[in-house]
Amino acid sequence: MAASEADHALTAKKQKLEEGDKIDSALSPLKSFKGFSFEKVLCENAKSKSLFIMGQFEGSDDKAVVLLEKMPFSSERATNYVCQDTNLKETLKNDIYGTYDAYIPVQENAVKATVIYPATEKHITKYTDQERFVVTETADLYKSITLPYLEEKEFSVQWVYNILDKKQESERIVFEDPDPETGFILLPDMKWDRKNINTLYLQAIVHKHGIKSLRDLNGTHLPLLRNILKNGSVAIKEKFDVPRSKLNIFIHYQPSYNHLHVHFMHIKNETYGFAHLLSDVIENIELKEDYYQWKTLTYVIREMDELYKRFKDAGHL
Amino acid sequence: MAASEADHALTAKKQKLEEGDKIDSALSPLKSFKGFSFEKVLCENAKSKSLFIMGQFEGSDDKAVVLLEKMPFSSERATNYVCQDTNLKETLKNDIYGTYDAYIPVQENAVKATVIYPATEKHITKYTDQERFVVTETADLYKSITLPYLEEKEFSVQWVYNILDKKQESERIVFEDPDPETGFILLPDMKWDRKNINTLYLQAIVHKHGIKSLRDLNGTHLPLLRNILKNGSVAIKEKFDVPRSKLNIFIHYQPSYNHLHVHFMHIKNETYGFAHLLSDVIENIELKEDYYQWKTLTYVIREMDELYKRFKDAGHL
């Protein structure tokens, strides 16, 4: 939880304490969801196998948020799953393959439930799902929708310049090539703990200013891109002993900030969505210098992204 | 499942039929794991919440592989999870946050079990956790390593022909265009429960024989590819009310079996690794007819894949 939320929550609780009522139900452990009235599903995630629910407990006007998550299996308990107490209901059979609904013993199949009560508006927003949509951005749509949006917003990348100018995070730099045209700084991504090699994750940030994204890359950038691919990999091999055959090296489109950067990620660290491998980017530009000015690029955007509204208002979603 | 495996399995089953024994246990639906003896865990994945187990059924020397996967929650059944029949055991309490082990009613908490029996060595290898490596397959390496490997192995896709000829799974067909050149069959992937729309996952299998993978696609296949993209999406919209802006439509390379097929997956169902979007494939071939004969293709292979050994022996890993 974020500090601000915990803060909000404490304020809410303090008010309750002053009111002197409904405290017990907020603090005593629940034995079941008896008295809970379901209001709505805030978010459903099939991949993480979670479901976030909003509702209320009997006798209170406060909202409660319930986070349900399926839990991983435990190797040590494997024999308790594949046993005679597990009932099977066949759902499909083809040759040697059979699929079943398996009802494993209830004590082996707990779900993790987190109850937030009383829940603030911020909790509710935080745990509410946003719709996602696939955008098919043709070259023309880039020019008529995406580029004007970026220009209008003028998103600041001052924090990136601070890194490049060693005003920030200079102690975190893993490797630098200072060339203003083909150089870059390599440093760990904030998501990496810098200990676990299996989750290794670094970013190469180019020294050259003004390359907003993949869309801007053309034949003139080939020396820069080849340099990052080669010397970024060499640096990671030297510093962390992870060879290139263990790395996914890619560019996101849309990027999370509009200054060219390349992700170096251990292959055990699954990538999300459709990333563009740096080696593919180089080869495509070798084939056609303006490949990324010409190509239709497909990506996923969220309902609350302003770019979503722009595409929708223009009738493209 | 890969073609080769289904083939191995069919051979194994045929031998059994000839022996005339142990057939019932191989074919009849299981009611529980009674008589199953656990041997070892092949793979444990905390992220996907799955556990792959190897063992044996009583009275048989064959191996069985059991794949257990926690299933997503269903929004529609939310009130059945947060009800008075769900027992809660508190695990942590901090201010407004409480966490619990929740024992939801057993019929609401099925685990998906896939039983592969008899399982071949290839199944066991497939479901065993392994080291992974990034392969950079140039056009030349495809010709000198990958293609000879595929030709030598002659993986059977008989089980795919059985589907195309309506000898198997015909009741599962969602849509068919019978044209021998541009037609395809659309049916649910085995991984989809066919209920939860957020995990929607179908495959389009082309009627045309002989297209082994993305590598074989060229300008002559554009009508086929465009037909799949357009009419596969239309069929999914009609049958499941899921629009194209909610679908990832892609081809895997390497594919899991060597007969061209296209994946249609709900965007909430995250894709793994570097899939090739069908719309990108079409556009690249429009740009350069032999794009996929020319392009370097990057993918991840596992230590136990024979293709890994071939690349390694040739000094490319």
Side-chain angles (χ1 to χ4, degrees):
Chain A
M1 72 196 89
S4 58
E5 293 159 40
D7 200 36
H8 270 243
L10 282 167
T11 312
K13 198 177 123 194
K14 213 181 282 166
Q15 281 170 355
K16 292 216 144 308
L17 283 163
E18 282 155 13
E19 290 165 24
D21 62 5
K22 290 180 284 182
I23 297 304
D24 284 351
S25 63
L27 296 182
S28 65
L30 298 166
K31 298 296 177 201
S32 80
F33 287 106
K34 191 179 172 190
F36 179 82
S37 65
F38 168 83
E39 226 163 282
K40 67 172 177 179
V41 167
L42 300 177
C43 181
E44 179 182 7
N45 188 322
K47 179 147 186 192
S48 65
K49 295 161 190 175
S50 59
L51 186 71
F52 301 164
I53 290 167
M54 188 177 81
Q56 285 182 294
F57 285 104
E58 214 166 24
S60 163
D61 292 335
D62 290 317
K63 300 290 181 193
V65 170
V66 177
L67 316 177
L68 298 177
E69 288 167 88
K70 296 281 173 98
M71 294 212 272
F73 291 99
S74 154
S75 274
E76 291 72 43
R77 306 194 67 77
T79 52
N80 298 345
Y81 308 140
V82 285
C83 65
Q84 76 176 74
D85 295 334
T86 293
N87 291 310
L88 296 173
K89 206 178 112 197
E90 191 185 83
T91 52
L92 187 77
K93 183 82 186 157
N94 181 351
D95 190 47
I96 59 160
Y97 300 90
T99 63
Y100 298 86
D101 283 341
Y103 299 97
I104 66 179
V106 66
Q107 71 277 12
E108 300 294 343
N109 202 12
V111 161
K112 183 178 177 190
T114 304
V115 178
I116 305 171
Y117 174 72
T120 64
E121 268 310 309
K122 285 203 94 161
H123 289 109
I124 293 163
T125 305
K126 175 172 179 179
Y127 294 110
T128 297
D129 196 15
Q130 292 186 41
E131 282 261 13
R132 285 160 194 266
F133 300 87
V134 175
V135 172
T136 304
E137 184 191 89
T138 61
D140 284 347
L141 288 175
Y142 175 72
K143 282 183 217 129
S144 65
I145 296 179
T146 310
L147 183 58
Y149 165 71
L150 294 176
E151 286 172 346
E152 192 182 307
K153 287 291 165 187
E154 284 183 350
F155 295 110
S156 167
V157 284
Q158 189 54 51
W159 65 274
V160 178
Y161 299 160
N162 289 343
I163 292 174
L164 294 173
D165 298 341
K166 319 277 170 66
K167 291 177 188 158
Q168 292 280 349
E169 304 188 44
S170 62
E171 73 290 352
R172 302 174 73 239
I173 293 174
V174 167
F175 173 81
E176 177 173 14
D177 174 340
D179 188 288
E181 284 298 314
T182 62
F184 63 97
I185 276 179
L186 183 72
L187 75 178
D189 187 279
M190 301 280 272
K191 287 185 208 75
W192 185 35
D193 64 6
R194 288 186 274 178
K195 289 174 213 149
N196 185 345
I197 285 299
N198 290 332
T199 58
L200 177 137
Y201 186 9
L202 296 99
Q203 279 190 31
I205 303 178
V206 303
H207 271 302
K208 190 176 173 69
H209 292 195
I211 309 174
K212 290 186 293 303
S213 77
L214 186 60
R215 276 284 184 210
D216 288 343
L217 293 175
N218 59 42
T220 67
H221 303 110
L222 284 173
L224 167 64
L225 300 174
R226 289 181 189 132
N227 185 39
I228 295 171
L229 183 61
K230 186 177 169 208
N231 289 312
S233 308
V234 168
I236 289 173
K237 171 72 183 145
E238 275 173 11
K239 302 275 178 174
F240 305 105
D241 198 28
V242 174
R244 189 161 152 191
S245 63
K246 292 288 186 183
L247 292 176
N248 280 325
I249 306 168
F250 58 91
I251 296 173
H252 278 139
Y253 188 78
Q254 293 283 341
S256 57
Y257 58 94
N258 290 106
H259 177 101
L260 185 68
H261 56 286
V262 175
H263 304 265
F264 288 74
M265 196 186 255
H266 196 288
I267 54 171
K268 286 205 174 177
N269 207 346
E270 270 165 34
T271 54
Y272 294 98
F274 294 93
H276 300 261
L277 290 178
L278 181 56
S279 55
D280 286 345
V281 171
I282 292 171
E283 211 178 12
N284 285 328
I285 295 174
E286 285 168 348
L287 171 66
K288 181 176 165 64
E289 211 185 318
D290 61 348
Y291 184 93
Y292 290 101
Q293 288 80 60
W294 159 84
K295 185 79 180 68
T296 297
L297 296 175
T298 302
Y299 51 91
V300 172
I301 53 178
R302 298 173 310 165
E303 201 177 12
M304 282 158 152
D305 294 337
E306 196 181 323
L307 196 50
Y308 165 76
K309 294 191 193 74
R310 305 273 180 127
F311 273 95
K312 194 175 161 67
D313 291 348
H316 294 285
L317 271 173
Chain B
M1 73 198 85
S4 57
E5 293 159 36
D7 195 43
H8 271 244
L10 282 167
T11 311
K13 198 178 121 190
K14 212 182 282 165
Q15 282 170 355
K16 293 216 146 302
L17 283 164
E18 281 156 13
E19 289 166 25
D21 62 6
K22 290 180 285 181
I23 297 306
D24 284 349
S25 63
L27 298 180
S28 64
L30 299 167
K31 298 296 179 203
S32 81
F33 286 107
K34 190 178 170 189
F36 179 83
S37 66
F38 168 84
E39 226 161 283
K40 68 171 174 180
V41 167
L42 300 177
C43 181
E44 179 182 9
N45 188 326
K47 190 158 177 179
S48 65
K49 295 161 190 178
S50 58
L51 188 70
F52 301 164
I53 290 167
M54 189 177 79
Q56 284 183 294
F57 284 104
E58 213 167 24
S60 164
D61 292 336
D62 290 316
K63 300 288 183 197
V65 169
V66 177
L67 316 176
L68 298 177
E69 288 167 87
K70 295 281 172 98
M71 295 212 274
F73 292 99
S74 154
S75 274
E76 291 73 43
R77 307 195 67 77
T79 52
N80 299 343
Y81 309 140
V82 285
C83 65
Q84 75 175 74
D85 295 335
T86 292
N87 291 310
L88 297 174
K89 207 180 114 198
E90 193 184 82
T91 51
L92 190 78
K93 182 79 186 157
N94 182 352
D95 189 48
I96 59 161
Y97 300 90
T99 64
Y100 298 86
D101 282 342
Y103 300 96
I104 67 178
V106 66
Q107 70 277 12
E108 300 293 342
N109 202 12
V111 162
K112 184 177 176 191
T114 303
V115 178
I116 304 171
Y117 173 72
T120 64
E121 267 311 309
K122 286 207 93 163
H123 288 109
I124 293 163
T125 303
K126 175 172 180 180
Y127 294 109
T128 298
D129 204 11
Q130 297 171 43
E131 282 260 16
R132 285 158 195 267
F133 300 87
V134 175
V135 172
T136 304
E137 183 191 272
T138 61
D140 284 346
L141 288 175
Y142 175 72
K143 282 184 217 128
S144 65
I145 297 180
T146 310
L147 184 58
Y149 165 71
L150 294 176
E151 286 173 345
E152 192 183 306
K153 288 290 166 185
E154 286 183 349
F155 295 113
S156 166
V157 285
Q158 187 55 49
W159 67 273
V160 177
Y161 299 160
N162 289 344
I163 291 173
L164 294 173
D165 297 342
K166 321 277 169 65
K167 289 177 188 161
Q168 290 279 351
E169 305 189 43
S170 62
E171 72 290 351
R172 301 174 73 239
I173 293 174
V174 166
F175 174 80
E176 176 173 17
D177 175 341
D179 188 287
E181 284 297 315
T182 62
F184 62 96
I185 277 179
L186 183 71
L187 76 178
D189 188 278
M190 300 272 274
K191 290 186 206 74
W192 185 34
D193 65 6
R194 288 185 277 178
K195 289 174 214 148
N196 186 342
I197 286 298
N198 292 329
T199 58
L200 177 138
Y201 187 8
L202 296 101
Q203 279 190 31
I205 304 178
V206 302
H207 271 301
K208 191 175 171 71
H209 292 194
I211 308 173
K212 291 186 292 302
S213 77
L214 186 60
R215 275 283 184 212
D216 287 343
L217 292 175
N218 58 42
T220 68
H221 302 111
L222 284 172
L224 167 64
L225 301 174
R226 291 181 188 132
N227 185 39
I228 295 171
L229 183 60
K230 185 176 170 211
N231 289 311
S233 309
V234 168
I236 289 173
K237 171 71 183 145
E238 275 172 12
K239 302 276 177 174
F240 305 105
D241 199 29
V242 174
R244 189 162 151 192
S245 62
K246 292 289 185 181
L247 292 176
N248 280 324
I249 306 169
F250 58 91
I251 296 173
H252 279 137
Y253 188 80
Q254 295 280 344
S256 58
Y257 58 93
N258 291 105
H259 176 101
L260 185 69
H261 56 286
V262 175
H263 305 265
F264 288 76
M265 198 186 255
H266 196 288
I267 54 171
K268 287 204 172 178
N269 206 345
E270 273 162 28
T271 54
Y272 294 98
F274 293 93
H276 300 260
L277 290 179
L278 182 55
S279 55
D280 287 346
V281 171
I282 291 171
E283 212 179 9
N284 284 329
I285 297 175
E286 285 167 348
L287 171 66
K288 181 175 165 66
E289 212 186 318
D290 61 348
Y291 184 94
Y292 289 101
Q293 289 80 62
W294 158 83
K295 185 81 181 65
T296 297
L297 296 174
T298 301
Y299 50 91
V300 172
I301 53 178
R302 299 173 312 163
E303 199 177 12
M304 281 160 147
D305 293 336
E306 197 181 323
L307 198 50
Y308 165 76
K309 293 192 193 76
R310 305 272 179 125
F311 273 94
K312 195 175 161 66
D313 291 347
H316 294 285
L317 271 174

